[in-house]
């Protein structure tokens, strides 16, 4: 599977972790993506893929691509035999300048790119991407499209700064202190977060803490769950286990079993860092 990634130029680098190109045969027909402190935009250039945003929601098909604000639940992706796309991994606040609606309206509700940018715009962009000369030119075209669409967004500086503090502490920060330091009320801060990220500061902190903890797990070696939970600031191992199931749908030990399966069956795969096979 071919995966090409790069960081965009300023000012997009303050909103985006990376732009990427993905092509090839997915390791499994279905992959689960547990929630991360990030938003996602995919421009699809191959056969449609399917997303199920929670067990209580119907699976939906996406032909032109999708837009996903920061999720609070795991997403299940169903891939065609071969997939081809370009995409954007946004920082939690990074999608807001490109949305015509509050991010909260899309929380855990992935939509097509057409629903966000309109049919003519995404059709033209897909045509230009499909005829581009290789992945690097495709990423340049995507970057130019994002630069063209970049808009001023009220409150973005406040949300970006506060979110950066949460990220720097891996979620281990008193939320009340953030509003005091920013000179705004906790209600105002929460409203700005909901509008631009889709979740509250408290939920963002929970997600950063979970992400930092799970990425500290080495599935190839022995794991002391008590030490891991304590080091991450969870009250106890039971609290950690509850959070783990809430984010992944799996117990910590089952998660490690699934990760080990991925590594065993697809060593060195481009997607081996996070997606989980669906049993």
């Amino acid at each position: 599977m071919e995966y090409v990634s790069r960081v965009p130029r300023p000012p997009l680098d303050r909103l985006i972790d990376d732009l990427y190109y993905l092509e090839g045969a997915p390791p499994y027909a279905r992959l689960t993506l547990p929630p991360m402190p990030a938003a996602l935009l995919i421009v699809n250039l191959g056969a449609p893929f399917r997303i199920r945003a929670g067990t209580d929601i119907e699976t939906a098909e996406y032909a032109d691509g999708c837009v996903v604000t920061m999720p609070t639940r795991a997403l299940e992706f169903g891939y065609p035999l071969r997939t081809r796309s370009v995409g954007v991994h946004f920082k939690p606040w990074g999608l807001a300048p490109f949305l015509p609606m509050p991010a909260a309206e899309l929380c855990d509700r992935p939509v097509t790119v057409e629903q966000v940018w309109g049919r003519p715009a995404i059709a033209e962009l897909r045509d230009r991407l499909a005829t581009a000369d290789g992945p690097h030119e495709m990423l340049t075209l995507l970057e130019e499209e994002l630069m063209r669409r970049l808009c001023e967004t009220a409150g973005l500086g406040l949300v970006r700064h506060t979110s950066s503090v949460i990220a720097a502490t891996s979620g281990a920060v008193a939320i009340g202190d953030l509003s005091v330091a920013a000179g705004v009320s906790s209600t105002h801060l929460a409203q700005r977060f909901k509008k631009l990220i889709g979740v509250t500061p408290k939920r963002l902190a929970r997600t950063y803490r979970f992400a930092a903890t799970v990425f500290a797990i080495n599935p190839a070696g022995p794991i002391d769950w008590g030490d891991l939970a304590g080091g991450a600031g969870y009250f106890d191992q039971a609290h950690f286990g509850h959070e783990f199931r809430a984010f992944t749908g799996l117990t910590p030990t089952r998660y490690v079993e699934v990760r080990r399966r991925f590594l065993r069956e697809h060593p060195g795969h481009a997607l081996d860092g996070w997606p989980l096979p669906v049993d």
Side-chain angles (χ1 to χ4, degrees):
M1 198 167 199
E2 183 178 8
Y3 185 84
V4 179
S5 168
R6 67 173 173 80
V7 176
R9 67 183 187 274
L12 293 179
D13 60 339
R14 301 181 71 183
L15 305 169
I16 293 169
D17 286 324
D18 73 304
L19 310 173
Y20 72 88
Y21 169 85
L22 180 68
E23 181 177 11
Y28 302 96
R30 293 187 298 158
L31 289 170
T32 296
L33 299 179
M36 285 281 104
L40 176 66
L41 182 147
I42 300 173
V43 180
N44 189 39
L45 301 172
F49 54 83
R50 299 171 70 83
I51 300 177
R52 189 180 188 190
T55 56
D56 57 335
I57 295 178
E58 291 285 334
T59 301
E61 188 171 270
Y62 297 81
D64 70 348
C66 68
V67 175
V68 182
T69 57
M70 203 195 95
T72 68
R73 62 175 75 184
L75 300 175
E76 181 185 300
F77 275 72
Y79 288 97
L81 293 178
R82 288 191 64 83
T83 189
R84 186 170 187 252
S85 63
V86 295
V88 187
H89 291 125
F90 289 96
K91 299 178 188 299
W93 60 87
L95 188 56
F98 307 96
L99 291 177
M101 72 283 284
E105 292 185 11
L106 305 183
C107 185
D108 295 325
R109 291 181 54 248
V111 295
T112 65
V113 184
E114 177 185 322
Q115 289 173 281
V116 175
W117 286 352
R119 179 175 296 182
I122 185 58
E124 180 187 357
L125 177 59
R126 292 178 73 208
D127 285 345
R128 287 190 286 127
L129 290 168
T131 57
D133 186 19
H136 294 286
E137 183 177 327
M138 295 169 77
L139 296 184
T140 297
L141 288 172
L142 180 59
E143 183 176 16
E144 290 172 351
E145 181 71 14
L146 292 166
M147 285 293 294
R148 188 177 68 80
R149 290 183 172 276
L150 182 60
C151 297
E152 290 291 328
T153 305
L156 184 61
L158 168 66
V159 171
R160 181 177 62 232
H161 173 73
T162 307
S163 298
S164 297
V165 175
I166 294 173
T169 62
S170 297
V173 60
I175 302 302
D177 294 345
L178 295 175
S179 57
V180 172
V184 299
S185 70
S186 58
T187 299
H188 178 79
L189 187 63
Q191 289 174 341
R192 288 289 94 190
F193 265 68
K194 290 281 285 184
K195 183 176 178 63
L196 302 187
I197 297 179
V199 300
T200 63
K202 183 178 180 179
R203 180 70 201 202
L204 181 65
R206 280 181 62 194
T207 306
Y208 267 113
R209 178 169 62 174
F210 172 76
T213 305
V214 79
F215 282 129
I217 296 172
N218 176 11
I223 301 166
D224 187 320
W225 294 111
D227 283 352
L228 189 72
Y234 291 101
F235 299 131
D236 51 33
Q237 195 169 335
H239 178 214
F240 171 65
H242 180 271
E243 283 286 271
F244 211 102
R245 286 189 296 273
F247 276 91
T248 67
L250 304 172
T251 64
T253 52
R254 180 58 183 152
Y255 163 81
V256 172
E257 291 174 1
V258 175
R259 289 289 297 117
R260 286 171 176 165
R261 170 189 162 194
F262 196 121
L263 293 171
R264 183 174 62 252
E265 296 178 353
H266 300 276
H269 196 279
L271 298 181
D272 69 2
W274 183 236
L276 306 173
V278 177
D279 290 337

